[in-house]
Amino acid sequence: QVQLVESGGGLVQPGGSLRLSCAASVSISSLNVMGWYRQAPGKERELVATIATGHSTNYADSAKGRFTISRDNAKNTVYLQMNSLKPEDTAVYYCFAYGFGKNYWGLGTQVTVSS
C-alpha cells in the first residue's frame, strides 16, 4: 500500500502564491510518475502537472508559466509551486502516483483564490 498525504492548501488572494506538498509512505524513487489533479465545483477532474522518475515534467496549458512541479527524493515528497494565482484556480487539488502497477490518490486539499 502507498499512502499520499497532502498539505499546503488554503485561502490566497489573486496574484498570490501557494506551495502544495505531497508526502508518500514509500520511496518516491520507486514510483514511476507523480502529479497533481484538481477539481472545481461543477467541473470534471483535470490533470494539472506530472513528474516522472527521470524528472521530466508535463503541464496543463492553464498551468504553464505559473506552476512548477518538483520532487525531493530525500523527503519522499512532491511539490506544486503555484504563482500568479487566479480565481479560476480555485479547486480541490489531489496528489496522485503511479507505481507497482497501479494508481494511488491522496484525499485532496482545498485551494481557494479570492479577494
Side-chain angles (χ1 to χ4, degrees), residues 21-91:
S21 299
C22 174
S25 63
V26 301
S27 171
I28 62 172
S29 296
S30 66
L31 301 171
N32 301 98
V33 181
M34 298 189 72
W36 294 90
Y37 281 74
R38 69 185 182 188
Q39 187 168 25
K43 294 187 176 182
E44 299 292 325
R45 187 173 298 189
E46 64 175 350
L47 179 66
V48 178
T50 62
I51 184 165
T53 300
H55 286 216
S56 61
T57 57
N58 187 32
Y59 296 93
D61 287 342
S62 61
K64 290 179 180 177
R66 300 189 299 127
F67 294 4
T68 302
I69 188 170
S70 61
R71 286 176 178 250
D72 187 334
N73 290 346
K75 296 181 178 180
N76 292 330
T77 299
V78 64
Y79 302 96
L80 184 67
Q81 178 67 47
M82 303 186 293
N83 299 325
S84 301
L85 284 163
K86 306 173 181 179
E88 51 263 44
D89 294 318
T90 296

Side-chain angles (χ1 to χ4, degrees), residues 90-113:
T90 296
V92 177
Y93 284 70
Y94 298 91
C95 180
F96 89 94
Y98 176 78
F100 307 106
K102 64 180 296 183
N103 294 326
Y104 301 91
W105 291 91
L107 296 178
T109 184
Q110 177 70 47
V111 172
T112 302
V113 184

